[in-house]
């Protein structure tokens, strides 16, 4: 019941990430590092804005959303438990998804793969611990997922902060430039 909701968030994050990745690749090819940094900053900002908006909407309309996606009276309590926890991850999950595309666009496929391996691998490890070991059931699966995604998010933040990126992202790059945003979404 909750998976399609997560997929919608992921699809919109990919919209930002893939569009921005194309733009970053072209800018780097032209050696226009300033534009590439602005694109990355705008993509990051858009991802956070999407995540915050999605989290607020899901918290406000939790039950109607679950019913719209097919939750029955028997499934609704479990779906509500899972989604109410997963929604906290919506704040950084779109960032994780979209920014991973940007790392690949810089030509750093190894770190892009590592981000995904960290998030997926940690989720696989934490799921049985939280679900069975800590006897948390469906809530444990949700906590394992958001913790694993948060670790992937931290990896990406460190990637940029520690200078592994060829781009130097500064606060000025997070200012929305609507021309960049429009091109990113159109791609």
């Amino acid at each position: 019941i909750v998976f399609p909701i997560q997929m919608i968030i992921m699809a919109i994050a990919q919209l930002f990430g893939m569009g921005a990745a194309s733009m970053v690749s072209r800018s780097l090819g032209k050696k226009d590092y300033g534009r590439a940094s602005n694109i990355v900053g705008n993509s990051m900002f858009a991802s956070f804005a999407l995540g915050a908006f999605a989290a607020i909407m899901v918290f406000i309309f939790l039950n109607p959303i679950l019913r719209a996606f097919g939750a029955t009276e028997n499934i609704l309590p479990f779906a509500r438990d899972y989604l109410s926890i997963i929604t906290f991850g919506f704040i950084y999950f779109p960032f994780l998804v979209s920014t991973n595309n940007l790392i690949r666009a810089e030509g750093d496929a190894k770190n892009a793969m590592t981000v995904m391996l960290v998030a997926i691998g940690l989720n696989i490890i934490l799921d049985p611990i939280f679900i069975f070991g800590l006897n948390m059931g469906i809530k444990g699966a949700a906590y394992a997922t958001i913790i694993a995604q948060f670790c992937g998010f931290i990896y990406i933040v460190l990637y940029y902060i520690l200078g592994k990126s060829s781009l130097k992202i500064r606060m000025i790059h997070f200012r929305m430039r609507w021309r960049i945003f429009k091109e990113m979404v159109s791609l």
Side-chain angles (χ1 to χ4, degrees):
I1 298 298
V2 175
F3 189 65
I5 299 165
Q6 291 174 281
M7 292 304 293
I8 291 169
I9 301 296
M10 191 165 103
I12 297 170
Q14 287 285 23
L15 173 85
F16 299 144
M18 294 174 105
S22 171
M23 295 168 66
V24 166
S25 291
R26 287 182 279 129
S27 294
L28 290 176
K30 294 177 184 175
K31 305 218 183 302
D32 189 349
Y33 297 102
R35 178 166 163 75
S37 295
N38 284 329
I39 295 164
V40 169
N42 276 234
S43 177
M44 289 177 174
F45 180 84
S47 298
F48 273 121
L50 162 69
F53 177 76
I56 290 167
M57 290 296 106
V58 169
F59 277 128
I60 291 172
F61 301 108
L62 187 71
N63 284 339
I65 289 171
L66 289 171
R67 289 186 198 283
F69 279 91
T72 63
E73 288 305 316
N74 292 337
I75 294 173
L76 186 63
F78 299 106
R80 186 179 23 235
D81 284 348
Y82 187 80
L83 184 57
S84 64
I85 294 166
I86 284 292
T87 302
F88 287 104
F90 287 178
I91 295 166
Y92 51 84
F93 177 62
F95 177 91
L96 170 67
V97 171
S98 67
T99 309
N100 197 24
N101 289 296
L102 303 176
I103 294 171
R104 255 192 314 281
E106 286 186 56
D108 194 351
K110 183 179 176 184
N111 268 306
M113 178 187 67
T114 302
V115 169
M116 298 314 292
L117 289 176
V118 165
I120 293 167
L122 192 56
N123 195 6
I124 291 169
I125 292 166
L126 292 178
D127 268 336
I129 294 170
F130 281 70
I131 295 169
F132 304 113
L134 298 175
N135 201 27
M136 295 175 75
I138 195 76
K139 289 181 180 181
Y143 282 119
T145 299
I146 65 170
I147 290 169
Q149 290 171 350
F150 186 73
C151 289
F153 164 76
I154 293 298
Y155 187 99
I156 290 174
V157 169
L158 291 174
Y159 175 84
Y160 283 100
I161 289 174
L162 298 176
K164 291 182 181 181
S165 171
S166 61
L167 302 172
K168 305 300 176 223
I169 309 303
R170 306 282 183 255
M171 289 305 293
I172 189 73
H173 299 125
F174 291 99
R175 191 184 68 146
M176 281 305 291
R177 289 166 177 83
W178 294 108
R179 188 177 311 151
I180 288 175
F181 182 77
K182 184 179 174 185
E183 184 181 348
M184 176 177 32
V185 172
S186 70
L187 289 171

